Every structure is written in C-alpha cells, then in structure tokens.
Amino acid sequence: MTMDAEEVIQERQIDPVTLQVIGGELDTIAQEMGHKLIRSAYSSIIRESEDIGSGILTAEGKQIAEGDFTPMQVGTLIASVEGMFETFEERGQDPDEVINEGDVFIHNHPHYGAAHSPDIAVITPVFYEGEHIAWTATNAHHLDIGAATPGLAVDLEDVYAEGTLFKATKVYDQGERVDEIWNLIEENVRTPRVVLGDLQAQISSCEVGKERFLGLVEEHGYEHILQASEDLMHYGESLMRKEIEKVPDGTYHETAYLDDDGRNRDERLKVDVELTVDGGDLTIDLSGSEDEVMTGYNVPFRGSAEPASYFIVRAILTDTATHDEYIPQNSGTFAPINVEAREGSLFNPSMPRSAFARINQVDLLGDLILKAFSNAIPEKTSAGSGPHCYFISYSGVDENDEYWVYIEVNESAYGGRPESDGLDAVDALVHNTQNRPVEDIELSHPLRIEHYRLREETAGAGEHRGGHGHERMVKFLSDSTITIEGDGNKYGSWGFDGGKGAPSGELKHIKSDGEEITLPSKVSGYKFESGDKFSIKSISGGGYGDPQDRPEQKVYEDYLDGYITKESAREEYGVVIGDGGVDSEATQRLRDV
C-alpha cells in the first residue's frame, strides 16, 4: 500500500492494516460466491462463459464488495436492489415488514434496475441478531426466459414480449419455498430443468456468501464491519477522485453509429459520448445519442449504461495491474462518475419499450469512452478494440420433443496498446466472458464446429498491431433456429496515432447446395436446415502508432505465423520479405521513400 493510500485511510477510524485485511476478506467472500455458482450451474453460459456477477451490499443497497467476473455486472446489483425498494414503495409495502430472515428474492425487470431481463438477480437478506444488516446477491444470464424467440430476442414490440419478468419476487418466504413462483417459471420457459437448476445454484451461492459474511461479523464484530464498509467506500471514492484529477480538465467528445435496430436495416443509430473532467469529478453524457427504438435494441440506463461506463473508467484509471495499492470495488469507486442520458433515448428508454438486446450498444459506448480518453491520456489507452460481439442463440427440438438452447458469445479483439500488440480473440471492453470448448458443444448439441481460428490479415496495422478477431464455421446436424444479437457489419475498429483500423465483421448462411447468403448483424428466429453452415467473422483490433515504425522482425514473425502475407507486409509496414527472410536493405529503401 502506498503512502497516498495510507493517508486516505488514516482519515477514517480503522487502522490501514485491519481495513485492508477486512477488505480482502470481503472480496474473497464475493469471489467464492461466484465460483460456487459456476461450479453448480447447469447451463454453459454460466458454467463455461461465466456470464455472472456476485457481491455483498449494505442493507441500504450500497455495494461493499464484488466478485471478479463479467465486467457488465459491475454496479448492476446496486441498481437491482434500488429497483426492489422502488417496487416496495409502489406496492405500498414497508421494507421492514416485507424483508424477513430466510427470504430469497428474484428480480430481472429492465425498467427497475436489471441489466436486461435474461440476467436474473437472486438477492438474499442477511440478518444478525434479528436485524437486517446486508444483502448477498448474484446475477446470471439465463438460457431462456420465455421470450418471443428461444434464448435471445431482438425484434420485440415491447417489454412484455421479453418473457417472464420479476420485480422483487420472493421464491422463498421466511425459508419456505414459494411453489407458485417456481411452477410459473417451469411452465413459461423452454428449458425448465436448466433454468430452475441455475436459479438454485444462485441461491446456494448467496447462502454461502451469507454464511461467510456472518462469520466475518462474528470474528470482527458488527459495528467494526459496518465501519470498515463505510471506510472502504470512502477510500475507493478518494482513489478514483485522485486518478480523475490527473486527467486534464475539459470536455472530450466522440460519436459513432450502430448498424440498425434489428428491423429498420437502413437506419443507423447514433451513439454520442461527451466526457467532461472537472477536478475530481467525471461526467459522461449520452444525451446526444439516438432516440429509443421500437424494437428490443434499447439499453436499460441504471442496469447497463451506468455499469458499462463505470467499468471502462475503472479499467483505464484504476486498473489493479498498474497500481500497487489495494483498490476496492464498491459504491464509493463509482461516486465520482456521473452518467447522464435523457429519458426516451437509446440509453434510457421509457416504459413500455423493450431493452432485451443491449450488449453491442454498451460495447460501442465503452469504445467511445476509451477514444475520448485517448485525446487526454493516450499513454493509458489503446487503439480501438473490436467494439462488438455476435451474441447468438442456437435452438431446436430433440428426439424427445424437448427444446435444446445454446448461447455463445463470439468475441472480437483488443486494439494495439502503447507498449504492446492487442490481445487476440478475447471479449474486449465490457463483457469479458469466456468461450465454450468445441468438444463440449459438439457432445451436447446437434452442431459441428468445422473451424474456430484467428481471423488472419485483418488486424489493424501499427507499430503495435491490433489483436486478431476470430472465424467460426458451424455446421447444423438438424433443423435449427438462431437469433443473433450483433452489430459491426457496417463498421470496424479505429487506429490511433497513425495506426490503421480493421474491417467490419461478417456473417454468412451457406446452404447445403453451396449458395451463400450474407446475413445482417441481427436476426430473430432465423432458420437453418440440416447440412447448412454458418460463417462468423468478428472484428479485429485497430493499430497503435505508425506501421512503418514496427520492428521488421515482428513483421516477419507475423508473416511466419500466417497473420499477414508478403504483400501486406510490404504495403502496410514497408517490410520486404524474400525467400530467405527480411531484406533489410530493401526495407530501409522502401521506408525512406
């Protein structure tokens, strides 16, 4: 811990060593909750992709610790608890009378703080000596919630078409299972065994968190833990403000456009980011973005737009890999960041607009925040990462007339960085989910993965080149339906400081007779026949710095690895490669032109 961090802590009442010990224990509990959920889950989107969040909150709903899993879950649990309290107020309920020991709530309404409706939060109160002192909570993406199309959905009329919605709904009431709610879920989703199993895994995870947190209270005393929680939030806020103060004051503005809303193919959607730094305060204003759309391609403000903005700022300014001091992740960390979006806009839709499909909008939002920061602190930012993903649900009916559903996240890549190349084929920006092993996919579903590899010759050229996106070819072994929640078929990634950008993504339906159909980035309930193939190519990262400054040996290594050709080495990097390797003299002459 640095002296600056110690000075911050010494303003509070608990000594620095004890505070860091308690902070570490709280983080460990949140992390254990997430691992418990992953190990217990039925679906691959949780078990393999780890599309989850876990955390501990105060009784008032302030986050004091979180697990290190999907970044999009950062802050989402805070908003979900806020949405629960709003629901109690609307119903005329006194929270002190509604919240009881042994209760378990579920919550997924996108207009009441949820990230989006497939992400169901399981939230359990923690009681100590008869007093409600905290919440343990998990958030997880569920395989199906009974929407208009299996798994995922884009072209929806309103929020009611999203499937089964819950607002502060008890599935356990004072320790007793509420069978009516469990029956409702079972009868309204396509994959009940998996969905119910994943919910039980979330509940078990919360119970582990509750047990560990109460153990911490017994060890240190409730008043001590309460004070430590407040101190850690104050410490987190102070650290973030110190980092914001290092950014030159001013307003930084960036704009880009999404492909479409999933229905109106020729109408691009504006994403506008105005980032203002004023001392230790940071405002991210999204009000210049597109109006809300009449499909499911909107973004819940509190559940997604805010958490995505928090994470990108945190990753740039308080990355734990670049700081020696202990950096807690809690409500205090987010306090200096103010996110604004006018009501009725793409990032703050009004009821009853649907907000089911929102990952690509927040990806592009994160990319624009990064680009805005690059105008002020280029040494802490990268070139453009692939600002999209192809979030795809595959589904069909098996020989027992039961639905199978599989959801995958097709990743892009990071842009080149000030000191190194971009990372290849990883979920960049705000989601960071993992892929599923090919063998597991083929064992579980009527799909064959014919190839899954890096997308060569598309990484943005630069002194530090962008990372490579990926290519996947899927063959269908039975008639199937897919829904694609994607973007980036009409744009690529951007280069920085002389670096080159990377081309757009691409999706193709290849019929069994060889006919190729280029698909848009979003489809809902699209049909494939047995024997058809599906080609997916994601965006690569942009380059950082002038490609002519890239060392010729690194260019040659990329050639040997098959990432570039001799022609692109010459045209993009000014490096001449002959049969015996790099021709250094010819390279120098070419670069001197």
Side-chain angles (χ1 to χ4, degrees), residues 371-490:
K371 193 173 185 180
F373 268 120
S374 71
N375 297 313
I377 47 172
E379 71 281 0
K380 288 192 173 184
T381 60
S382 68
S385 297
H388 83 139
C389 71
Y390 291 123
F391 202 17
I392 302 173
S393 62
Y394 302 78
S395 65
V397 178
D398 64 20
E399 61 276 6
N400 298 317
D401 294 327
E402 294 182 353
Y403 259 105
W404 61 269
V405 179
Y406 162 53
I407 297 177
E408 71 181 13
V409 183
N410 287 276
E411 67 282 349
S412 53
Y414 275 97
R417 295 167 286 178
E419 301 296 334
S420 58
D421 295 340
L423 297 174
D424 296 324
V426 294
D427 265 341
L429 301 166
V430 301
H431 29 110
N432 196 39
T433 50
Q434 300 189 40
N435 61 5
R436 185 178 180 186
V438 167
E439 297 83 358
D440 188 29
I441 297 170
E442 295 182 340
L443 281 170
S444 305
H445 308 295
L447 303 170
R448 179 175 299 150
I449 312 303
E450 297 207 333
H451 64 244
Y452 182 37
R453 62 196 182 200
L454 297 181
R455 187 182 181 190
E456 299 170 356
E457 297 188 53
T458 60
E463 180 180 3
H464 304 293
R465 64 160 172 79
H468 294 87
H470 84 279
E471 299 181 3
R472 186 192 294 263
M473 181 72 77
V474 181
K475 183 175 182 178
F476 294 87
L477 305 183
S478 68
D479 293 351
S480 304
T481 300
I482 70 166
T483 291
I484 307 172
E485 180 187 332
D487 216 86
N489 284 20
K490 299 179 182 178

Side-chain angles (χ1 to χ4, degrees), residues 42 120 142-145 182 185 189-200 202:
Y42 284 47
I120 300 178
H142 283 262
L143 202 56
D144 187 82
I145 61 166
W182 290 95
I185 298 169
V189 301
R190 297 175 176 87
T191 54
R193 183 184 67 87
V194 174
V195 171
L196 295 179
D198 285 348
L199 281 172
Q200 289 285 13
Q202 286 184 259

Side-chain angles (χ1 to χ4, degrees), residues 154-158 261 263-264 291-298 353-354:
V154 181
D155 192 357
L156 299 173
E157 187 65 24
D158 54 35
D261 66 3
R263 184 185 301 166
N264 304 291
D291 290 344
E292 63 188 17
V293 297
M294 298 299 109
T295 67
Y297 207 59
N298 294 292
R353 294 278 65 81
S354 172

